[in-house]
Amino acid sequence: MTGAGRGIGAAVARLLVDRGAAVCVVDRSMSQLELWGNAPVARVAEDLSAVPSACRVVEAAERELGGVDVLVHAAGVLKRTPFFEVDVENWELHLRTNLRSTFFLAQECARVMRRQGTGGRIVALASDAWWTGGYDGSLAYAASKGGVVTLVRGIARELAPLRITVNAIVPGLVDTEMLRGQLSPVALARQAAAIPWQRPADPSEIARVVEFVVSDAAEYMTGAVFNVSGGLLTY
Ligand SMILES: NC(=O)c1ccc[n+]([C@@H]2O[C@H](COP(=O)([O-])OP(=O)(O)OC[C@H]3O[C@@H](n4cnc5c(N)ncnc54)[C@H](O)[C@@H]3O)[C@@H](O)[C@H]2O)c1
């Protein structure tokens, strides 16, 4: 479970632990994982914007847990930047952290799942920005999330013969640091006002959808893009 240090990733990991799953929580540093205290989880600190990290994360998870049946990739970055100020560094930060990591984590986990021969579940967090192109300086982020949806669709076909499902979760606005950290109160109110459900999601509401997608009930669902946006997007 990546991005488990806070926000959506922490909520998903907590729910899976509550349901009795053996979970490996992954984030950028051990200090980022402090909220896990003495909880019975494996911990891995890696910067997922670097390619070899995918290999190290999956190796560590397999070693600690004795196997890998599920990958939920929620680690992600959004550094809001106006269009004319987007530079190569900003562009690459989003593409490396959000998109490239999705490919290589999925590839490494699928190798383990193939060896195990018992299928598996891969879930990537995309964003409504994949569809809208993003608002308020999130163009590079939106492009990376568009790539995540494309990857999920393609990898789903590759891995279907191995009975590994691959799906994307598309939240709209979720009440986390990522949402609140960089938007002015006016921009936040404007974005929130566009949600028919009239409020951002709580991270636990995204976690419950992930719980379903990794469950046996979702066995026949792969290559899907789960819109969990309170009606902000309708497709
Ligand atoms: N919050 C929202 O409104 C919203 C909406 C749509 C999609 N999402 C997506 O959901 C996912 C989780 O978002 P969130 O709101 O919980 O974000 P968040 O910023 O609150 O948490 C993200 C976590 O990812 C970790 N992370 C970031 N870069 C990393 C790296 N290079 N290596 C390892 N860990 C790294 C952070 O340390 C943090 O713990 C993200 O992929 C985000 O794009 C969020």
Side-chain angles (χ1 to χ4, degrees), residues 28-212:
R28 194 195 303 268
S29 64
M30 283 299 172
S31 62
Q32 204 77 42
L33 291 170
E34 263 169 12
L35 88 161
W36 288 97
N38 296 324
V41 293
R43 295 162 172 75
V44 174
E46 283 286 348
D47 176 357
L48 289 164
S49 67
V51 169
S53 63
C55 200
R56 289 199 294 258
V57 163
V58 178
E59 263 176 29
E62 189 184 8
R63 193 175 52 244
E64 296 283 330
L65 305 177
V68 177
D69 302 312
V70 174
L71 164 68
V72 182
H73 183 28
V77 70
L78 165 57
K79 194 168 175 193
R80 294 185 183 277
T81 310
F83 173 70
F84 284 110
E85 290 166 32
V86 173
D87 56 16
V88 172
E89 195 187 331
N90 180 277
W91 175 261
E92 290 196 336
L93 173 73
H94 291 96
L95 274 283
R96 283 199 316 262
T97 312
N98 301 343
L99 179 58
R100 193 171 69 181
S101 64
T102 302
F103 180 85
F104 287 103
L105 280 170
Q107 188 189 50
E108 288 301 328
C109 283
R111 285 192 216 285
V112 176
M113 292 169 183
R114 181 175 59 180
R115 226 173 29 241
Q116 294 173 168
T118 49
R121 298 278 189 271
I122 294 175
V123 179
L125 268 291
S127 161
D128 64 305
W130 92 270
W131 180 265
T132 64
Y135 293 92
D136 297 301
S138 57
L139 198 54
Y141 172 83
S144 72
K145 295 297 187 177
V148 168
V149 170
T150 303
L151 275 183
V152 158
R153 290 173 168 168
I155 299 173
R157 273 197 301 278
E158 293 284 338
L159 298 183
L162 298 173
R163 294 296 175 262
I164 299 168
T165 71
V166 187
N167 293 291
I169 306 292
V170 171
L173 271 57
V174 188
D175 194 0
T176 69
E177 267 301 299
M178 181 178 280
L179 178 67
R180 295 196 173 272
Q182 298 169 60
L183 280 179
S184 70
V186 173
L188 182 57
R190 176 172 38 74
Q191 288 202 15
I195 307 170
W197 210 255
Q198 299 179 337
R199 61 167 176 80
D202 185 79
S204 63
E205 294 175 299
I206 308 300
R208 286 200 292 273
V209 177
V210 174
E211 182 192 19
F212 165 69

Side-chain angles (χ1 to χ4, degrees), residues 209-225:
V209 177
V210 174
E211 182 192 19
F212 165 69
V213 174
V214 304
S215 75
D216 289 346
E219 172 76 20
Y220 198 62
M221 306 184 81
T222 194
V225 181

